[in-house]
Amino acid sequence: MTKPALPDAEDLLAGLIERMRVSVTPDTALIGIHTGGVWLAQRLHKALALRQPLGTIDVSFYRDDYGSRGLHAKVRPSDIPFEVVDADIVLVDDVLHTGRTIRAAMNELFDYGRPQSIRLAALIDRGGRQLPIAAQFVGAEVSVADGEQIELTRNEQDRLSLVLTRQGAA
Amino acid sequence: MTGLNPQLNANGELQHLLTIEGLPREIVLHILDTAHSFLSVGEREIKKVPLLRGKAIFNLFFEASTRTRTTFEIAAKRLSADVINLNVGTSSQSKGETLLDTVANLSAMHADMFVVRHSQSGAAHLIARHVAPYIHVINAGDGRHAHPTQGLLDMFTIRHYKKEFSSLRVAIVGDVLHSRVARSQIHALTTLGVPEVRVIGPRTLLPTNVSELGVHVHHDMATGLKDVDVVIMLRLQNERMNGALLPSAQEFFKYYGLTPEKLANAKPDAIVMHPGPMNRGIEIDSSVADGRQSVILPQVTFGIAVRMAVMAILAGNA
């Protein structure tokens, strides 16, 4: 079985930058969700020349599957180096799927304060939402089978690419 | 509960935290890494995360404690758990109830976790062997045996200031004989690959077999502290001052009390730690306790994050 070709991550990122450029202000704050979302947010932050320092978030302490799966094996510190109260925030993630990660990220953000607004940017929207969550900025919509995962990877030259993996596959 | 290590479940995950001895290095590092993330939670406006909502954590203290009990309580509350504090010495036990009956009754009240301090070595192990499989036990100090969360928070403190364990010289000073803290520290330092651990104290306050734990024994502060990166002072237990182990507190301070002059033997950037409560003027001079090399108060702050990490990891390993 041949894998369906995934779009080029760098092309999608370039499109995402253009779409966001027209609707962010210099004071818009970006928060990347670990790990792929942080890579994207770093690139977006630079390309959009934003004034606020970049934030990063790890949603492990807010996940809704802690009761069944326990604490994530690798938790990184969340770092929100700007005032969240009244901020105009764009959350950045690599792949938008069920929406549960975004729910967790929003819950965590509200423990820092009450933002003016939160929007969502995702490189890939693969559908399959289980919560009423939508992205305002999307690189591409891609449909893949249920058991498949789209992962963002980054090489030593900081080049981003997408790979398709199957759950349970070697 | 299976295998040789009663702390681990069938999947090799942490089920109880009873001692650092025999704990896999990956688990120790996982706790320290997770604590690092919890540290930033403590700096936020809302210092709580929802992980342990609906869980009941019983602080079972059969022995007096302020710092440890309070930081466990804060840690549990920051994880959104319900916390029940019991100073058992003053209640059922004085009416003759056994330890296991007390625990069985609290389990019937739907306890999810016990944090246990007891003057008897092995008390937390005993409870861990008898509770239902979904209940987790944390040893908050048992006799002279172990105080694992103190050992872990000390490792967190060392890593915070010194970054790497692999090139450090660490000296543990004072009453090692009676110290469960020292035992936990020695096991933790060894597990994390600290190449040189020294213990310094009079012969009467060092266990006879202490070198079997892989430490270097010194009886003189000047040579013992020479070029160390970390100085850990232990509390001289006042209640033992009148025994035959020591001539007097003044005598002890003269030879082993940490003064600026003695500390000058250590590296210039050495940090000074103490698990508390401190006896100023007995094991440590006030000018050192309050000095620029002291990290004694940060230890307390880090203790909350480390205890949050231990509780969150345990409760997640259902």
Side-chain angles (χ1 to χ4, degrees):
Chain A
M1 182 177 148
T2 52
K3 291 180 182 176
L6 288 169
D8 180 75
E10 291 289 336
D11 290 347
L12 295 186
L13 177 60
L16 201 56
I17 290 167
E18 291 320 307
R19 251 156 278 160
M20 288 178 70
R21 197 186 296 282
V22 293
S23 51
V24 298
T25 74
D27 287 322
T28 298
L30 290 189
I31 298 176
I33 299 175
H34 276 293
T35 302
V38 172
W39 298 338
L40 290 165
Q42 287 166 344
R43 298 279 298 274
L44 288 166
H45 189 261
K46 199 171 169 190
L48 298 169
L50 300 175
R51 279 202 291 248
Q52 301 279 5
L54 178 66
T56 63
I57 202 165
D58 183 313
V59 302
S60 296
F61 298 152
Y62 290 79
R63 292 180 63 98
D64 60 10
D65 58 1
Y66 168 76
S68 55
R69 299 178 63 174
L71 197 62
H72 198 280
K74 182 143 183 63
V75 185
R76 287 130 310 192
S78 294
D79 177 30
I80 312 291
F82 52 83
E83 179 63 72
V84 167
V85 175
D86 291 337
D88 168 36
I89 291 172
V90 178
L91 275 174
V92 182
D93 203 359
D94 46 7
V95 180
L96 177 60
H97 185 203
T98 63
R100 289 175 190 271
T101 299
I102 306 306
R103 195 282 310 167
M106 287 195 289
N107 275 36
E108 174 158 359
L109 262 186
F110 275 80
D111 284 348
Y112 285 84
R114 180 183 187 271
Q116 175 61 40
S117 61
I118 302 177
R119 288 177 288 178
L120 175 61
L123 198 64
I124 296 283
D125 181 348
R126 61 166 289 184
R129 218 77 79 240
Q130 296 166 356
L131 295 170
I133 282 170
Q136 284 67 45
F137 310 103
V138 175
E141 292 179 9
V142 174
S143 58
V144 292
D146 278 350
E148 292 178 325
Q149 301 284 332
I150 305 171
E151 271 178 42
L152 188 67
T153 62
R154 186 170 77 169
N155 72 7
E156 280 151 22
Q157 286 77 44
D158 283 350
R159 197 181 189 287
L160 300 172
S161 45
L162 292 163
V163 289
L164 197 66
T165 57
R166 264 171 210 82
Q167 274 173 353
Chain B
M1 219 148 43
T2 59
L4 296 171
N5 196 332
Q7 304 185 97
L8 306 182
N9 66 18
N11 299 323
E13 301 163 330
L14 201 62
Q15 172 73 13
H16 308 289
L17 180 63
L18 306 175
T19 171
I20 296 174
E21 187 177 7
L23 212 55
R25 178 185 159 89
E26 309 79 68
I27 289 182
V28 174
L29 287 172
H30 183 213
I31 293 169
L32 299 184
D33 290 342
T34 306
H36 184 54
S37 292
F38 278 121
L39 198 60
S40 62
V41 172
E43 290 158 4
R44 304 188 320 205
E45 182 72 20
I46 296 174
K47 299 173 178 58
K48 273 172 113 78
V49 298
L51 284 179
L52 265 56
R53 279 193 326 143
K55 303 282 186 198
I57 298 181
F58 283 71
N59 271 334
L60 270 176
F61 279 66
F62 297 89
E63 200 184 67
S65 159
T66 306
R67 191 179 350 262
T68 302
R69 192 191 58 67
T70 309
T71 49
F72 266 112
E73 181 176 353
I74 294 171
K77 285 179 170 169
R78 288 192 181 168
L79 292 168
S80 303
D82 297 317
V83 188
I84 299 92
N85 290 311
L86 287 141
N87 292 314
V88 195
T90 59
S91 63
S92 309
Q93 296 263 308
S94 56
K95 296 175 189 166
E97 188 172 69
T98 69
L99 177 60
L100 290 177
D101 279 336
T102 302
V103 167
N105 275 275
L106 298 175
S107 300
M109 299 176 202
H110 300 291
D112 295 291
M113 192 180 288
F114 291 114
V115 178
V116 183
R117 165 164 293 191
H118 202 289
S119 57
Q120 292 288 316
S121 297
H125 282 77
L126 178 72
I127 293 171
R129 277 200 301 274
H130 287 87
V131 291
Y134 60 87
I135 294 179
H136 304 278
V137 178
I138 299 176
N139 182 5
D142 62 328
R144 296 185 191 182
H145 174 241
H147 191 353
T149 58
Q150 178 70 46
L152 290 167
L153 80 86
D154 292 332
M155 297 310 110
F156 187 92
T157 306
I158 292 171
R159 190 164 77 165
H160 182 85
Y161 291 101
K162 297 296 172 191
K163 311 302 174 201
E164 293 287 336
F165 292 104
S166 57
S167 59
L168 293 182
R169 270 189 211 110
V170 178
I172 302 172
V173 184
D175 186 358
V176 177
L177 181 66
H178 303 108
S179 178
R180 56 195 174 206
V181 172
R183 275 170 193 71
S184 289
Q185 287 165 341
I186 291 167
H187 288 303
L189 291 164
T190 311
T191 303
L192 292 169
V194 171
E196 190 174 343
V197 182
R198 303 175 184 173
V199 295
I200 312 172
R203 281 178 175 76
T204 49
L205 292 181
L206 298 181
T208 47
N209 60 349
V210 68
S211 59
E212 289 168 20
L213 296 173
V215 300
H216 302 264
V217 179
H218 291 262
H219 302 295
D220 174 71
M221 285 288 264
T223 55
L225 291 180
K226 186 75 186 147
D227 294 331
V228 299
D229 301 278
V230 178
V231 185
I232 302 176
M233 300 306 298
L234 298 173
R235 183 173 77 88
L236 186 69
Q237 301 183 15
N238 275 328
E239 59 273 22
R240 304 178 200 283
M241 293 304 296
N242 296 326
L245 296 176
L246 277 178
S248 71
Q250 290 73 22
E251 189 81 355
F252 183 82
F253 182 73
K254 185 179 164 196
Y255 290 104
Y256 297 102
L258 190 63
T259 56
E261 296 71 35
K262 293 191 193 104
L263 181 56
N265 291 293
K267 286 188 183 166
D269 64 347
I271 55 170
V272 174
M273 297 166 53
H274 193 300
M278 274 190 289
N279 294 312
R280 290 172 183 260
I282 297 179
E283 71 258 359
I284 189 164
D285 189 77
S286 273
S287 62
V288 175
D290 305 327
R292 67 168 180 89
Q293 287 167 271
S294 169
V295 297
I296 294 169
L297 292 175
Q299 282 179 269
V300 179
T301 307
F302 297 155
I304 297 170
V306 167
R307 288 172 177 130
M308 288 173 81
V310 169
M311 289 175 167
I313 290 168
L314 285 179
N317 294 337

